[in-house]
Amino acid sequence: MASPQKKPEGGGQEGTNASLPSSFKPAFVGRTTTDVAAWLKNRPDGVDLEGKFFGVLDKKAAAGRGKDGARNEEGDKVVLCRIGDREGQGDKVHCVLVSAEESTLTLSGIEYGTFDQLIEGKGEYVPEI
């Protein structure tokens, strides 16, 4: 599976390169958040991905835009997921549906307890695959 690889010091990440080729096929399409979590927990050495938080687009999140690309009343949504509890213990996947903007703000400066506050305010979400 293609994933960003760690580079030698000062080399940057592979994920910062130009767009993916048209032949690229995402490895997790049609899989569950539990599948993604299991892969992240056991990711190969050298893969440069965060191992506790990840985001997915499920049917409801993807419904934020129509086929013509126009935004609908749902807006742009992302499902944010965390593996384990607040301390990172356990394998249960916790998810919350948030706006794309909120997901960016949350993940770019997440503080201890922020994810739990999102779940308390919005409710735990079960993605529709």
Side-chain angles (χ1 to χ4, degrees), residues 52-53 82-90 94 112-113 116:
K52 184 176 178 181
F53 294 96
R82 178 185 69 197
I83 303 168
D85 62 15
R86 187 181 286 202
E87 284 76 34
Q89 301 299 310
H94 302 273
Y112 185 80
D116 295 293

Side-chain angles (χ1 to χ4, degrees), residues 1-123:
M1 174 173 65
S3 56
Q5 301 294 308
K6 292 181 183 176
K7 296 279 187 172
E9 281 295 316
Q13 295 176 329
E14 188 176 293
T16 60
N17 291 343
S19 301
L20 295 169
S22 60
S23 62
F24 177 77
K25 301 289 186 235
F28 296 109
V29 169
R31 307 257 178 119
T32 67
T33 55
T34 304
D35 295 335
V36 176
W39 188 88
L40 281 173
K41 287 189 84 138
N42 298 299
R43 65 192 177 278
D45 290 339
V47 171
D48 197 13
L49 293 172
E50 211 286 325
K52 184 176 178 181
F53 294 96
F54 62 94
V56 298
L57 297 176
D58 71 343
K59 290 178 182 178
K60 187 168 186 177
R65 293 204 177 257
K67 289 183 182 178
D68 62 356
R71 194 172 173 162
N72 66 25
E73 66 279 351
E74 283 290 315
D76 296 330
K77 302 283 185 181
V78 175
V79 181
L80 289 184
C81 303
R82 178 185 69 197
I83 303 168
D85 62 15
R86 187 181 286 202
E87 284 76 34
Q89 301 299 310
D91 294 326
K92 183 174 184 215
V93 180
H94 302 273
C95 299
V96 63
L97 184 67
V98 297
S99 70
E101 179 181 18
E102 193 171 16
S103 73
T104 301
L105 294 171
T106 299
L107 294 179
S108 66
I110 197 160
E111 296 180 10
Y112 185 80
T114 302
F115 191 84
D116 295 293
Q117 290 172 348
L118 280 173
I119 289 178
E120 288 170 15
K122 296 178 178 292

